[in-house]
Amino acid sequence: MAGKIRLEDRECPLSSALGHVGEWWTLLILHDAFDGYTRFDQFQANLGVSSSILTSRLKTLTGQGLLERRRYQTRPDRYEYVLTDLGRSLRPVVVALAAWGNSRLDPSERSMILVDRSTGLEADPVIVDRSTGRPLDDADFVFAAGPAASETMRKRYEHIPTQVAPQRP
């Protein structure tokens, strides 16, 4: 999928992210992995995806470091696909996408909701700024050119003042 990124978008983190996970089956495979699926036959049975598409997507996800392929059986060799730290870091993105999808539905039409495992209470996910705790869907938060921005990117965001935060430990 990375080949679909336009030359002028290569420095955009959104374009880069979509190059990794912007394909429909990829997000569904990751969703299943977050739910504990690890084996080819589990993914295939749950998603109803063809073997060739699933093989291709699993190969891409392992190549990108989002899943790790581990042998769990010999004679014949069988492998499972386990989320890496990088793969697990996408969970909030998938949660946010699911929450956005549910926000457009009447509560009675939701086929899947996010709940607290210990209480069963439905969660209402929001993405917040780590420093202030403010929700990021506020129009006060905008994109701006970062330290590595090209001249094109700097021009796009020249009207936005920036102060880059120090790196987190």
Side-chain angles (χ1 to χ4, degrees):
M1 179 119 192
K4 295 185 181 192
I5 297 174
R6 299 176 311 165
L7 182 61
E8 60 269 24
D9 289 337
R10 289 194 180 169
E11 73 178 304
C12 174
L14 181 57
S15 293
S16 175
L18 288 173
H20 290 286
V21 297
E23 199 279 325
W24 191 67
W25 286 115
T26 299
L27 285 174
L28 294 178
I29 291 167
L30 287 171
H31 175 249
D32 277 4
F34 296 135
D35 279 352
Y37 293 84
T38 61
R39 299 194 176 163
F40 188 96
D41 58 335
Q42 292 174 319
F43 291 120
Q44 190 172 33
N46 189 55
L47 297 172
V49 61
S50 74
S51 294
S52 61
I53 289 175
L54 182 56
T55 298
S56 171
R57 296 309 180 269
L58 289 171
K59 184 176 182 178
T60 298
L61 288 166
T62 56
Q64 294 173 337
L66 300 173
L67 294 176
E68 179 183 338
R69 186 175 183 240
R70 294 184 190 161
R71 184 178 11 218
Y72 69 87
Q73 174 186 312
T74 57
R75 295 186 185 182
D77 286 347
R78 301 264 188 227
Y79 295 89
E80 63 182 355
Y81 298 87
V82 180
L83 286 161
T84 63
D85 287 342
L86 183 62
R88 280 188 294 279
S89 72
L90 280 168
R91 189 169 192 280
V93 175
V94 173
V95 166
L97 279 171
W100 180 81
N102 272 344
S103 73
R104 302 176 305 115
L105 299 173
D106 183 80
S108 66
E109 296 174 325
R110 297 175 182 170
S111 61
M112 178 185 74
I113 58 173
L114 183 69
V115 299
D116 181 311
R117 183 188 306 268
S118 63
T119 66
L121 293 173
E122 184 175 356
D124 184 15
V126 295
I127 299 175
V128 299
D129 174 49
R130 183 187 307 265
S131 301
T132 65
R134 290 173 44 210
L136 294 179
D137 60 355
D138 188 312
D140 289 338
F141 290 96
V142 297
F143 290 104
S150 67
E151 186 60 31
T152 302
M153 187 69 78
R154 288 183 192 287
K155 281 187 176 191
R156 176 178 175 159
Y157 294 115
E158 66 189 357
H159 62 287
I160 306 292
T162 62
Q163 292 183 4
V164 178
Q167 292 291 332
R168 293 190 313 255

